[in-house]
Amino acid sequence: MTVAKPSARPAQPAAACRVCGGTVSAFLDLGRQPLSDAFRKPDETAQEFSFPLVVGNCRDCSMTQLLHEVPRERMFHAEYPYRSSGSTTMTAHFTAVAERFLAHELGGADPFIVEIGSNDGVMLRTVAAAGVRHLGVDPSSGVGLTAQHGGVRVRDDFFQESTARDIAATEGRADVIYAANTFCHIPYVDSIFAGIDALLRPDGIFVFEDPYIGDILDRRSFDQIYDEHFYFFSATSVRAMARNFGFELVDVERLEVHGGEVRYTLARPGRRRADARVAALLDAEAHRGLAGPEPYERFAREVYAIREDLRTLLTGLREQGVRVVGYGATAKSATVNNFCGIGPDLVETVYDTTPEKQGRLTPGTHIPVAPMAGFRADPAPYALLYAWNHETEILAKESAFREAGGRWIRYVPEVRVD
């Protein structure tokens, strides 16, 4: 299958901000995209769902967001394939998060922690093992079942105001509400904050960590933009959002996971003193002009240049008869493949460790996904590293590929060959 090369698209009209109602101006159109985690069986013939993937920035509250919302039931369901514990790096990360909560936030009488988007229970397993009361809320029943098998209590549901009020009525209020790579998925923040207000104890905290727009701009990691990521947070936009819903931003912490994230801590006004890190990050964002259009417009130009460079490289290798495979059938690879027009004519196979994706086709461009054993058994000369956010772990694990002369292709922050 040959995928046509996309052309540059005209600017999109402005939209209303989902947080403050201000004006959102589009700065990057990545074309029509499929659901990023909808890996089809080879014999499926039904037309794929697609939507316009356009991202913009609010001129009033500085929140970066998608202009088009995908219905949540299409993305998060029983067959949702992502597993948080698939990476040893992320497993260690979430274990440390749980230990931190246990040591510093869950020491009172009958502590209770709620996680929004608990996935396969990788964080709450440590909390459960400590005998602390907990509840994961996740609408993807497949991963929820995995969590339950690991001893984690899970409610199969979307988190929203009605869910939170029901939990508060039956379980009591929480000391901590936590979300990792989940809060940015949820457009309806008004209902989320109403739920947090209903469920959180007066002195409790809401902690969430998600991709940081500053790192996305710096690293040109345009593949962080896909259907599941509706918001792209900064300290400036999070502070404005928190205040809009009766909370304050009291701490920020830069994280290296997933290509650069920030962990934000919110509390009710007057309950906690803001850490100096908040002011420092706000000042840094003001200095670089994150509230204005220029960084985003520059980013868009750089993304189009990456697309041209990547297509030129892959097309040249194809013309030479050189095999190229992909490493990691990630959700964000859907953005790369569909925006850049990369199908099986340019990348013959994508290797992945997730059983639910193996034997299927990548969304939109229909590249076959195969078990990771094939990457080692029949190595290609070049491998396109889609899972670049786990680069350190992958390069250590796949050292034999490089030692045998294999070369890694990267596209973040620029197209280059190792």
Side-chain angles (χ1 to χ4, degrees), residues 97-113 127 132-133 173-178 200-201 203-207 250-251 263 265-267 271-272:
V97 169
E99 291 172 346
R100 177 173 172 173
F101 287 148
L102 290 169
H104 301 291
E105 301 294 343
L106 301 176
D110 191 25
F112 181 39
I113 180 170
V127 176
V132 171
R133 206 158 54 89
R173 291 195 164 194
D175 299 85
V176 175
I177 300 175
Y178 174 69
L200 198 63
R201 288 177 177 168
D203 292 325
I205 53 173
F206 171 42
V207 181
V250 297
D251 200 4
R263 179 181 295 144
T265 300
L266 308 186
R271 293 291 183 169
R272 301 221 177 184

Side-chain angles (χ1 to χ4, degrees), residues 10-163:
Q12 297 286 316
C17 177
R18 292 295 299 267
V19 175
C20 75
T23 300
V24 177
S25 297
F27 61 84
L28 178 62
D29 185 342
L30 293 165
R32 293 201 71 85
Q33 292 276 344
L35 299 173
S36 61
D37 268 315
F39 290 82
R40 296 161 64 92
K41 297 177 181 178
D43 59 355
E44 287 187 32
T45 59
Q47 184 175 355
E48 292 182 87
F49 174 85
S50 66
F51 73 105
L53 182 56
V54 184
V55 63
N57 183 262
C58 178
R59 293 295 176 255
D60 292 338
C61 73
S62 192
M63 182 66 77
T64 302
Q65 59 202 273
L66 300 188
L67 272 67
H68 302 274
E69 177 184 350
V70 175
R72 62 186 187 178
E73 294 83 2
R74 285 188 173 272
M75 296 183 289
F76 309 111
H77 44 72
E79 297 183 0
Y80 184 65
Y82 181 73
R83 299 292 188 273
S84 297
S85 0
S87 161
T88 56
T89 300
M90 294 310 299
T91 298
H93 171 80
F94 289 124
T95 299
V97 169
E99 291 172 346
R100 177 173 172 173
F101 287 148
L102 290 169
H104 301 291
E105 301 294 343
L106 301 176
D110 191 25
F112 181 39
I113 180 170
V114 173
E115 182 176 9
I116 305 172
S118 50
N119 197 262
D120 61 6
V122 63
M123 191 280 288
L124 286 178
R125 281 199 300 264
T126 301
V127 176
V132 171
R133 206 158 54 89
H134 64 276
L135 182 66
V137 182
D138 199 304
S140 303
S141 57
V143 295
L145 188 60
T146 301
Q148 291 177 55
H149 288 161
V152 173
R153 294 179 62 234
V154 180
R155 174 172 175 147
D156 179 10
D157 207 346
F158 287 98
F159 188 94
Q160 54 197 5
E161 181 179 3
S162 58
T163 311

Side-chain angles (χ1 to χ4, degrees), residues 93 100 209-210 215 219 253-263:
H93 171 80
R100 177 173 172 173
E209 52 191 70
D210 282 296
D215 287 328
R219 300 177 184 185
E253 184 178 354
R254 299 291 296 271
L255 307 172
E256 285 301 316
V257 297
H258 284 310
E261 297 192 336
V262 171
R263 179 181 295 144

Side-chain angles (χ1 to χ4, degrees), residues 273-285:
R273 178 176 297 179
D275 191 276
R277 292 183 292 194
V278 175
L281 188 52
L282 289 169
D283 289 345
E285 292 176 357

Side-chain angles (χ1 to χ4, degrees), residues 305-360:
I306 288 172
R307 179 177 70 175
E308 295 305 311
D309 291 344
L310 185 56
R311 280 196 57 85
T312 297
L313 173 62
L314 295 176
T315 301
L317 291 172
R318 178 190 62 190
E319 292 172 350
Q320 297 171 38
V322 178
R323 294 174 58 217
V324 179
V325 299
Y327 194 103
T330 60
K332 59 182 178 290
S333 68
T335 296
V336 179
N337 289 335
N338 288 276
F339 177 61
C340 299
I342 300 172
D345 59 323
L346 298 179
V347 173
E348 63 179 50
T349 306
V350 180
Y351 293 103
D352 194 89
T353 59
T354 309
E356 290 83 357
K357 298 178 182 179
Q358 295 165 0
R360 297 187 174 232

